[in-house]
């Protein structure tokens, strides 16, 4: 897949990009990131992603503030290399130092890395027919609202899903609370109401999640930011995932149990349609 990277403003093919071995992103996961979808050469919800990036940077006290410069550099790569359907991956790390120490280097010189990669969307059949997911314990830390590159629990959960022949793992806590997927937010319809976990430090505040909440309210769908529990699963009429590349993905099976009648439900489909209209109007 064609991909162009930028390392501290220097553009090159992604396969040739090099990061120093002592970079703190590599050593400690001392880094934050974003993933943005590009439709027909236009980044979708770019402002919202940059706002979340700023929030993540501030939360880990990473002194990088050139978000407007970053925006210009990303837009220039999309334009100059003629990207149409693509994804943007952005990662800001606390940079490299001369030897490995936990405490921040003084001064820290952040590293700005991003790449734009062609995106071939293979999920359309699944958006129509729905996917299977598994439930999996949430082994993450207490600041999941920070989009940091410390993703080992997410990676292990995603792999468990893959091995079970499922698209995603829904993460649950010891008390049975279902929070989100390893790389997606989760919504359910219970008693006619659309529910999703509230934006606390226990979840990533998904950009797609916020958009879907807005679309649902505009459509007059009753919405509540309230957690679903594992015990609710037999009673949910609909369940779906949201994410930047997943968009809105119906769930038709959780572990061995079908959701509703095992087909994407009407609220999910209405929201998918509203989402598509927004992308088409971009
Ligand atoms: C844990 C987690 N939740 C939710 C999401 C979805 O977020 P967004 O809609 O901003 O892509 C992601 C995306 O990477 C994620 O990693």
């Amino acid at each position: 897949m064609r991909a162009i990277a930028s390392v501290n403003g220097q553009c090159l093919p992604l396969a040739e990009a090099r990061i120093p071995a002592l970079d703190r992103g590599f050593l400690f996961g001392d880094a934050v990131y974003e993933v943005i979808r590009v439709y027909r050469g236009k980044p979708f919800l770019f402002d919202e992603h940059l706002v979340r990036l700023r929030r993540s940077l501030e939360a880990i006290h990473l002194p990088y503030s050139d978000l407007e410069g970053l925006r210009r550099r990303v837009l220039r790569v999309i334009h100059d290399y003629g990207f149409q359907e693509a994804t943007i991956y952005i990662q800001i790390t606390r940079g490299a130092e001369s030897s490995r120490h936990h405490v921040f280097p003084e001064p820290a010189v952040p590293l700005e890395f991003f790449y734009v990669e062609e995106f071939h969307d293979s999920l359309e059949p699944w958006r129509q027919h729905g996917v299977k997911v598994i439930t999996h314990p949430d082994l993450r830390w207490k600041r999941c609202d920070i989009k940091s590159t410390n993703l080992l629990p997410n990676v292990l959960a995603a792999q468990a899903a893959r091995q079970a022949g499922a698209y995603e793992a829904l993460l649950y806590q010891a008390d049975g609370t279902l929070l989100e997927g390893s790389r997606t937010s989760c919504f359910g319809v219970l008693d006619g109401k659309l529910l999703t976990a509230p934006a606390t430090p226990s979840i990533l505040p998904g950009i797609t999640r916020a958009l879907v909440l807005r679309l649902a309210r505009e459509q007059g769908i009753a919405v509540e930011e309230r957690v679903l529990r594992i015990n609710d699963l037999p009673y949910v009429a609909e369940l779906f995932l949201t994410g930047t590349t997943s968009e809105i993905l119906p769930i038709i099976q959780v572990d061995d149990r079908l959701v509703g009648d095992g087909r994407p439900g009407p609220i999910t489909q209405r929201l998918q349609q509203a989402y598509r209209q927004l992308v088409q109007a971009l």
Side-chain angles (χ1 to χ4, degrees):
M1 216 97 73
R2 197 165 66 94
I4 298 294
S6 164
V7 182
N8 285 335
Q10 298 292 315
C11 287
L12 71 176
L14 176 58
E16 293 168 23
R18 298 286 176 267
I19 307 292
L22 286 176
D23 185 88
R24 295 176 61 92
F26 175 59
L27 291 179
F28 298 113
D30 190 356
V32 294
Y33 77 107
E34 279 297 326
V35 179
I36 303 157
R37 182 73 164 85
V38 178
Y39 296 97
R40 305 186 313 283
K42 294 175 210 154
F44 189 49
L45 307 173
F46 205 177
D47 288 347
E48 288 82 347
H49 283 279
L50 289 179
V51 166
R52 186 172 63 184
L53 181 59
R54 167 167 292 135
R55 194 176 162 274
S56 297
L57 288 163
E58 285 172 1
I60 66 163
H61 314 293
L62 206 164
Y64 172 93
S65 54
D66 190 20
L67 291 166
E68 280 316 306
L70 171 63
R71 182 205 300 271
R72 278 196 307 277
R73 287 184 281 282
V74 169
L75 289 174
R76 193 175 316 132
V77 167
I78 293 172
H79 177 265
D80 290 357
Y81 292 87
F83 284 101
Q84 289 292 310
E85 297 305 306
T87 53
I88 305 161
Y89 177 85
I90 298 170
Q91 181 172 330
I92 313 290
T93 83
R94 207 180 307 274
E97 51 191 331
S98 53
S99 60
R100 181 181 176 277
H101 297 290
H102 283 63
V103 293
F104 299 171
E106 273 295 340
V109 183
L111 177 110
E112 177 197 284
F113 169 64
F114 74 81
Y115 64 85
V116 183
E117 183 176 39
E118 265 176 9
F119 183 71
H120 296 299
D121 189 356
S122 56
L123 285 174
E124 209 38 52
W126 304 108
R127 289 193 196 102
Q128 266 184 45
H129 300 298
V131 295
K132 176 184 161 187
V133 303
I134 60 164
T135 51
H136 192 275
D138 188 353
L139 304 176
R140 300 175 302 165
W141 70 328
K142 296 192 172 88
R143 288 303 306 274
C144 298
D145 55 322
I146 301 172
K147 198 164 168 65
S148 94
T149 58
N150 289 272
L151 292 171
L152 192 52
N154 308 59
V155 165
L156 295 177
Q159 183 61 23
R162 168 65 58 89
Q163 279 167 355
Y167 176 78
E168 177 60 299
L170 294 185
L171 305 177
Y172 64 88
Q173 294 194 317
D175 65 356
T177 302
L178 279 171
L179 290 173
E180 58 181 338
S182 71
R183 57 197 188 280
T184 52
S185 311
C186 179
F187 286 74
V189 177
L190 187 66
D191 299 330
K193 222 180 225 179
L194 183 64
L195 303 183
T196 193
T200 66
S202 300
I203 68 158
L204 182 80
I207 302 297
T208 322
R209 169 189 175 281
L211 174 63
V212 166
L213 282 171
R214 197 192 92 201
L215 293 174
R217 289 185 175 117
E218 283 171 10
Q219 300 257 326
I221 296 166
V223 177
E224 199 177 327
E225 292 181 56
R226 165 156 67 90
V227 285
L228 283 165
R229 295 174 186 283
I230 288 212
N231 290 345
D232 293 325
L233 285 174
Y235 310 106
V236 293
E238 300 182 37
L239 210 54
F240 62 86
L241 302 169
T242 67
T244 292
T245 51
S246 302
E247 301 178 357
I248 300 176
L249 206 47
I251 298 171
I252 52 168
Q253 188 179 334
V254 183
D255 298 325
D256 292 329
R257 186 194 298 272
L258 288 185
V259 177
D261 63 1
R263 284 180 303 183
I267 293 182
T268 311
Q269 287 173 327
R270 264 171 75 189
L271 290 166
Q272 284 179 312
Q273 205 180 351
Y275 190 94
R276 196 91 328 253
Q277 277 170 2
L278 216 63
V279 168
Q280 276 160 5
L282 186 64

